[in-house]
Amino acid sequence: MLSEFLLSEMNRLGANDALPLHRQLYEALRRAMLDGKLGAGERLPSSRDLAQDLQLSRNTVVAAINQLSVEGYLASRVGSGTYVNDSVPRISPGRNGQRTAGWASAVPPGRLSARGLALTSRFCATDLEVQPFTPGIADFSAFPLTLWQRLQNKHWRMTYPDMLDYNTSGGYAPLRRAIADYLRVFRSVHLEADQVIVTTGTQQSLELCARLLADHGDTVWVEDPAYWGAAKAFMASGLAIHPVPVDDQGICPDMGDDTYPPKLIYVTPSHQYPTGAVMSLPRRHQLLANARRHGAWVLEDDYDSEYRFSGPPISSLEGLDTDGRVLYMGTFSKVMYPGLKLGYLVVPKTLVDAFKQAHYDLNRPGQMPVQAALAEFIEMGHFASALRRARQNYAERRQCLLEALKPVLSDARVGPSISGAEQGLHLCLRLPAHTDDKALAQRIAQQGLTVRALSAYCLQRSDLKGLVIGYGYAPLADIRRCGPLLAAAVQRELDAAAA
Amino acid sequence: MLSEFLLSEMNRLGANDALPLHRQLYEALRRAMLDGKLGAGERLPSSRDLAQDLQLSRNTVVAAINQLSVEGYLASRVGSGTYVNDSVPRISPGRNGQRTAGWASAVPPGRLSARGLALTSRFCATDLEVQPFTPGIADFSAFPLTLWQRLQNKHWRMTYPDMLDYNTSGGYAPLRRAIADYLRVFRSVHLEADQVIVTTGTQQSLELCARLLADHGDTVWVEDPAYWGAAKAFMASGLAIHPVPVDDQGICPDMGDDTYPPKLIYVTPSHQYPTGAVMSLPRRHQLLANARRHGAWVLEDDYDSEYRFSGPPISSLEGLDTDGRVLYMGTFSKVMYPGLKLGYLVVPKTLVDAFKQAHYDLNRPGQMPVQAALAEFIEMGHFASALRRARQNYAERRQCLLEALKPVLSDARVGPSISGAEQGLHLCLRLPAHTDDKALAQRIAQQGLTVRALSAYCLQRSDLKGLVIGYGYAPLADIRRCGPLLAAAVQRELDAAAA
């Protein structure tokens, strides 16, 4: 009986985890399909019946079913109900930990352009299952949804036709002011509100810069290892990517090859992605001097500056810039939620008009009621409160992860170390150069944990090995439970290497 | 005295705003620090003292101080009190303006890339004032906002964390199904829901196609005259634009120069933008044959197919395609509202995986609650109702405009004519080849009416003159009032030319 299977699965899940009910049901239904208890093409009981059988609220059932529909497991046919999709992969028990969707690797060769092939063949962000320790992911379950919904509502009620149109002025003016106030105070960015362009996030910010400030074939210096999303944006815009090594003081601008003079230099100075290195002050001056010498623009991606846990606060690189060659960008996805799709780009005054115009012509910005709600969310202090709560949450998780990793660090034979734990939502566990970190990450994945190999972020160099470990996504209980598993897996690797 | 400053600031804030007391105090303290009245490292009076001095409850004072601590303005030292953080930037009134001004002027002008200059120097969509007859703009004042807000609310209430995240599957599954159902029935598109990629609109759809299917320097055939937005997207992606003339049967594919074989062919077959020509069936077959011969992809932009007023319904070009080389795109901006930022791209099955992956990697799609609301809006028939009402509105406006233009058309001396009035939200008043249509459009603008010169849409040719006149934006009363003014202005031009 389906409902019996679901109930027992949910009991099992509920015992180990603090998963919400709809998520338990989602997992149970997913398992039923993967195990073949619900076959392809089979009709699901109605949400009403399921709710009754499982003694759950209808909303809970609908949420689980919606999620499975989103993910392609289920399909609704109008007037006839919900069915298991034909394409659901049946997974034999052994493959449990493997990826569910499978499509990322299935991209057929052939009729894409060379650029299209390049864009789809490397650095695919979708092929990781989100599990404890997945880096780059925040936990937005604590986000004050009800309050946010109330604010959105208010601005929808107040909306007037112009707010439903595209926006030509770089964003909703009060939001640009709120962003400018925030950056001025917390990030020591020198700016006026008019220099703020509201974008749909860092990808759009990067592409605007790449297109307006560089030509096809121009060189962009990119940190090695690097944030893949940035590399993709530059590839898509036809730029030649020149990797410049990162050490524990950040990018080494003098190691950039002058035979490939940069038009753009892309950096994450306050928390290098993914090593977590903080760019030192001398290095910052050196970078700016180098940029000046080459007549290059500097793109400063301050992607997780909101979460600083220890060490002195670090001002922006932009704040050191005296000749207006730094473009500064950030995102709301880490404090609000990713699907909000709002970020910002601060451009030098001389570029404001060109960027506004091109942003309109290329992107047709919209979503003004949401921008208005966000402006009020910030102005009324809700952003600061949400940030405070999140920071506290993440601080606890980070501490718990650091505790769990302690035994590994005490292994003096091979000298693993941690970098980048002062800020952000991930840290980097550095491992000896002979470690096969990709294989290690795969072994760890078999335990239902997702970490990324540091070497997977490297563009060119092969000397960096380690694990990039996120503590943003999983709740404290999961980190407490899974941290020792992770540490044990790493320890086994170290022992094997020493043997 | 600090407390005097705080009190006066709070009075000022309290007079204008309905800010709660703790928020007033927070603002006042923040101001005191930014103005240097509370210097870096300075010790704050105890919360007890502050409460007494300001005659506030201690809780109010503690709330304000906590907030400032979270935001990094203040730091507590155990047993010794609360201090202003060293990192708080002091903003002195004089330096503020000076620094930014000097800094801005130090940036040499003209530092956009060649691509940036090209993207911002031509075809700027922001330089038109929206007034009666502005083409390309719908009237969303009649859009059922309250209903839409209720639906959005419902889906926000039902939302679960995954809906707040980025989406990797090409869009919210029920929305993709609803779009597929709509296109299958109304546009004779051959598709399954999985071929639908939900985008932020046509610009994003075009860029995905340009990047994945063409390389830098590849040729795209573009209709001449053309939709500027498309030309910009292709320019931004490094494609060589090869204009192919349009006549009253649409694009003339045999006039495309085979020495510039296309990788992409971009067309608006059901209502050519801006001439309004409907591509004839023989021309459609010819276009597909030509595309096959060149191994080119065809991009079909069906931008306003929802509004067909007369003549037989026209199926999509995609529906004639037998070898999967047509990519079909549309937008919700014309029936819903532009700022919604939702459109769709239908890709051949072989490309689905690559497009989903690249869409995620390049654009990080989100906004899932809005997608869910739209899916229900369509499924429940609200989209069809809104469309029906809008179509009726626009039909009346169109009729009114046609009536107003009648006297001009009867001028047999020079033979003006109207094209493209069967569909969409604009029509094209064709004028004799010797007309200076740009000057005419400027004269009309002086009367508070905005029309565009047809020649302004031409990429290469110089034989087309006329006015592109929108009837989507202005209410019927305005069209009734302004139509005769517009007609009179045209008549004066014709008379002057004949004299």
Side-chain angles (χ1 to χ4, degrees), chain A residues 235-259:
Chain A
M235 282 163 67
S237 300
L239 304 194
I241 292 176
H242 179 67
V244 180
V246 165
D247 64 15
D248 60 357
Q249 292 187 62
I251 195 172
C252 311
D254 281 350
M255 293 178 67
D257 190 338
D258 276 6
T259 53

Side-chain angles (χ1 to χ4, degrees), chain A residues 44-364:
Chain A
L44 213 67
S46 74
S47 56
R48 200 180 304 267
D49 289 350
L50 268 178
Q52 200 162 31
D53 288 351
L54 305 174
Q55 303 201 302
L56 295 170
S57 88
R58 182 112 181 267
N59 276 351
T60 303
V61 176
V62 168
I65 289 179
N66 277 351
Q67 175 70 14
L68 289 162
S69 304
V70 169
E71 295 179 1
Y73 287 92
L74 300 175
S76 300
R77 295 178 206 155
V78 177
S80 119
T82 303
Y83 293 81
V84 178
N85 237 329
D86 293 335
S87 57
V88 170
R90 192 98 40 99
I91 291 177
S92 56
R95 276 188 61 215
N96 195 7
Q98 298 290 315
R99 219 176 55 226
T100 46
W103 56 259
S105 60
V107 176
R111 301 186 57 202
L112 296 179
S113 63
R115 168 163 61 188
L117 279 173
L119 284 172
T120 52
S121 67
R122 215 185 155 190
F123 295 155
C124 172
T126 55
D127 63 357
L128 276 194
E129 204 170 355
V130 176
Q131 300 179 132
F133 306 128
T134 307
I137 301 189
D139 175 12
F140 26 90
S141 65
F143 180 73
L145 261 188
T146 314
L147 168 68
W148 174 239
Q149 192 192 338
R150 206 163 57 229
L151 274 180
Q152 287 198 93
N153 247 317
K154 173 180 164 187
H155 286 276
W156 267 102
R157 274 196 308 274
M158 288 167 49
T159 226
Y160 44 96
D162 277 11
M163 292 289 280
L164 301 181
D165 205 348
Y166 299 130
N167 169 266
T168 59
S169 61
Y172 186 65
L175 178 59
R176 298 168 76 209
R177 279 197 297 273
I179 292 170
D181 287 344
Y182 173 82
L183 294 179
R184 211 179 284 125
V185 173
F186 292 102
R187 305 300 303 132
S188 306
V189 177
H190 292 104
L191 82 166
E192 292 171 20
D194 193 50
Q195 292 170 254
V196 177
I197 311 269
V198 179
T199 67
T200 60
T202 299
Q203 294 303 114
Q204 195 172 70
S205 300
L206 286 170
E207 294 207 349
L208 263 179
C209 294
R211 290 166 159 202
L212 292 184
L213 302 178
D215 285 312
H216 183 268
D218 278 351
T219 296
V220 53
W221 283 6
V222 173
E223 297 165 327
D224 188 5
Y227 169 55
W228 302 355
K232 284 230 171 177
F234 297 136
M235 282 163 67
S237 300
L239 304 194
I241 292 176
H242 179 67
V244 180
V246 165
D247 64 15
D248 60 357
Q249 292 187 62
I251 195 172
C252 311
D254 281 350
M255 293 178 67
D257 190 338
D258 276 6
T259 53
Y260 301 99
K263 194 68 174 273
L264 305 175
I265 304 177
Y266 169 77
V267 285
T268 50
S270 57
H271 191 230
Q272 201 275 330
Y273 196 88
T275 68
V278 175
M279 195 185 295
S280 64
L281 194 62
R283 214 45 97 59
R284 286 170 190 240
H285 285 299
Q286 193 182 343
L287 173 64
L288 290 173
N290 242 346
R292 195 173 304 119
R293 190 162 59 84
H294 288 296
W297 299 98
V298 177
L299 311 184
E300 176 176 20
D301 183 356
D302 215 15
Y303 65 100
D304 65 4
S305 58
E306 299 89 354
Y307 298 113
R308 180 127 199 105
F309 304 113
S310 64
I314 300 159
S315 299
S316 67
L317 181 63
E318 197 281 341
L320 295 177
D321 176 28
T322 51
D323 57 347
R325 60 178 71 252
V326 175
L327 291 91
Y328 175 96
M329 61 195 76
T331 172
F332 286 104
S333 68
K334 301 287 199 297
V335 179
M336 305 288 288
Y337 54 93
L340 175 67
K341 295 300 296 167
L342 286 177
Y344 43 86
L345 171 65
V346 179
V347 303
K349 284 191 175 178
T350 48
L351 296 179
V352 168
D353 291 337
F355 269 71
K356 272 189 194 171
Q357 182 191 321
H359 184 37
Y360 180 84
D361 281 344
L362 294 172
N363 302 319
R364 299 275 193 277

Side-chain angles (χ1 to χ4, degrees), chain A residues 22 59 62-64 66-67 140-141 143-146 148-149 152 337, chain B residues 151-165 172 367-373:
Chain A
H22 68 86
N59 276 351
V62 168
N66 277 351
Q67 175 70 14
F140 26 90
S141 65
F143 180 73
L145 261 188
T146 314
W148 174 239
Q149 192 192 338
Q152 287 198 93
Y337 54 93
Chain B
L151 274 180
Q152 287 198 93
N153 246 317
K154 173 180 163 187
H155 287 276
W156 268 102
R157 274 196 307 274
M158 287 168 52
T159 227
Y160 44 95
D162 280 11
M163 291 290 278
L164 301 182
D165 205 348
Y172 186 65
Q367 295 287 3
M368 298 302 280
V370 179
Q371 292 194 26

Side-chain angles (χ1 to χ4, degrees), chain A residues 372-394:
Chain A
L374 179 56
E376 181 166 344
F377 191 83
I378 298 172
E379 283 162 8
M380 300 304 289
H382 303 308
F383 184 80
S385 306
L387 177 53
R388 184 182 59 226
R389 276 194 307 274
R391 199 185 274 145
Q392 198 168 331
N393 269 336
Y394 296 139

Side-chain angles (χ1 to χ4, degrees), chain B residues 32-33 35-43 83-86 88 90:
Chain B
M33 287 182 275
D35 288 353
K37 295 209 164 46
L38 263 173
E42 209 169 323
R43 188 176 178 281
Y83 293 81
V84 177
N85 238 328
D86 293 336
V88 171
R90 188 106 33 105

